[in-house]
């Protein structure tokens, strides 16, 4: 019975995604300000909004947050006040753009206004970032939503990004992680509260050896404290994954208050 319900829900989700893409097709206006633009504009942004994007060119080599290294010869996590004295299960996280009042509108419009076409442009940005970083991995995973939140929103934004990225870089995307516990909205919580809230939240859907000794890329939209992707990375490492990389569209400075 449960399998039938899951199958029906998957069919419903696929139909909903098709309808959303039909209602909100490829964009011909700026995805932020709705100003008319040419279809060839980079990332479907007008010139003014594009210039407001702070692309991260020099992020921390561990967490990916934007920092300024004082030495051009030595770049390590000691230069990042966020990473200092912390340990992570993931091997490296990278983010594309700094979280600002302007850039956050990309994610907000995507997640909360059903502008699902935006995932294609986010995937394009991520593809270019991955090419710069030259990371090597066999599979793409995404941060799952709990079923209750998925029903409410109608789609998982990270899954859509992962699927579009998969097409661009010709790398399989797998649905392997399940969010078994319905958690509170994380942006309201402190770092310590996030850790407690997310502990034992995720499980691996099967114990097959498909991921063993493989390098994995986790896709998420925003990296705030890194608690979510770190908890998923722990599960993957405990199940034999070799290396875990993380990519997000946005991340903030260490003192940046991020609302997801």
């Amino acid at each position: 019975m449960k399998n039938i319900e899951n199958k029906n829900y998957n069919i419903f989700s696929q139909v909903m995604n098709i309808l959303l893409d039909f209602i909100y097709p490829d964009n011909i206006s700026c995805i932020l300000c709705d100003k008319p633009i040419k279809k060839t504009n980079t990332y479907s942004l007008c010139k003014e909004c594009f210039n407001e994007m702070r692309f991260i060119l020099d992020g921390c080599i561990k967490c990916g947050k934007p920092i300024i290294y004082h030495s051009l010869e030595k770049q390590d996590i000691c230069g990042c006040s966020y990473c200092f004295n912390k340990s992570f299960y993931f091997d490296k996280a990278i983010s594309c753009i700094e979280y600002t009042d302007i850039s956050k509108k990309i994610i907000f419009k995507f997640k909360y206004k059903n502008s699902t076409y935006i995932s294609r442009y986010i995937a394009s940005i991520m593809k270019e970032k991955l090419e710069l970083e030259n990371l090597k991995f066999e599979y793409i995973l995404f941060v799952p939503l709990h079923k209750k939140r998925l029903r409410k929103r109608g789609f998982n934004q990270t899954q859509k990004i992962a699927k579009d990225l998969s097409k661009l870089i010709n790398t399989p995307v797998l649905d392997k992680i399940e969010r078994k516990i319905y958690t509170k909205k994380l942006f309201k919580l402190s770092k310590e509260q996030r850790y407690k809230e997310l502990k034992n939240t995720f499980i691996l859907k099967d114990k097959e050896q498909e991921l063993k000794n493989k390098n994995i890329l986790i896709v998420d939209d925003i990296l705030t404290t890194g608690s979510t992707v770190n908890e998923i990375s722990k599960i993957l490492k405990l199940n034999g994954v070799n290396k875990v990389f993380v990519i997000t569209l946005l991340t903030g400075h260490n003192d940046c208050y991020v609302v997801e």
Side-chain angles (χ1 to χ4, degrees), residues 13-25 113-117 153-155 160:
S13 297
Q14 291 173 11
V15 172
M16 279 296 297
N17 285 333
I18 292 171
L19 287 174
L20 287 170
D21 285 338
F22 177 77
I23 296 170
Y24 301 96
K113 295 189 177 180
N114 284 332
S115 300
T116 56
Y117 61 85
R153 185 174 299 163
F155 66 96
K160 285 192 70 67

Side-chain angles (χ1 to χ4, degrees), residues 74-169:
K74 184 179 180 181
Q75 297 187 1
D76 56 34
I77 63 173
C78 293
C80 176
S81 59
Y82 183 74
C83 281
F84 188 65
N85 283 337
K86 290 188 180 73
S87 60
F88 298 102
Y89 289 97
F90 57 80
D91 294 272
K92 182 180 178 68
I94 59 175
S95 295
C96 307
I97 302 172
E98 288 186 35
Y99 181 98
T100 66
D101 287 339
I102 300 295
S103 65
K104 73 179 182 182
K105 292 179 181 178
I106 299 175
I107 295 298
F108 277 42
K109 191 172 183 179
F110 175 31
K111 287 170 68 171
Y112 304 119
K113 295 189 177 180
N114 284 332
S115 300
T116 56
Y117 61 85
I118 291 178
S119 67
R120 300 166 195 165
Y121 303 110
I122 295 174
S124 180
I125 295 171
M126 287 183 173
K127 173 181 177 289
E128 294 186 7
K129 181 68 173 178
L130 287 169
E131 288 173 349
L132 289 173
E133 296 289 339
N134 196 32
L135 300 180
K136 304 298 181 184
F137 47 89
E138 285 81 24
Y139 296 112
I140 301 173
L141 303 184
F142 54 88
V143 175
L145 290 178
H146 188 271
K147 291 179 180 178
K148 182 177 178 181
R149 189 157 287 148
L150 183 58
R151 283 195 294 268
K152 182 177 180 181
R153 185 174 299 163
F155 66 96
N156 179 353
Q157 74 281 358
T158 62
Q159 183 176 25
K160 285 192 70 67
I161 296 169
K163 286 184 175 180
D164 286 329
L165 180 62
S166 172
K167 295 173 186 175
L168 291 175
I169 65 176

Side-chain angles (χ1 to χ4, degrees), residues 9 34 50-51 60 70 76 89 103 106 162 166 174 176 191 203 209 213-214 219 251:
Y9 181 73
D34 294 323
F50 180 85
N51 289 336
C60 171
H70 298 288
D76 56 34
Y89 289 97
S103 65
I106 299 175
S166 172
L174 302 178
K176 288 286 187 180
K191 294 176 184 177
I203 58 172
Q209 301 299 303
N213 298 323
K214 301 296 185 182
V219 171
T251 192

Side-chain angles (χ1 to χ4, degrees), residues 190-199 227 231:
S190 67
K191 294 176 184 177
E192 292 74 19
Q193 289 172 328
R194 282 177 183 241
Y195 174 78
K196 291 179 181 178
E197 186 73 12
L198 289 167
K199 190 174 182 180
S227 299
E231 187 67 18

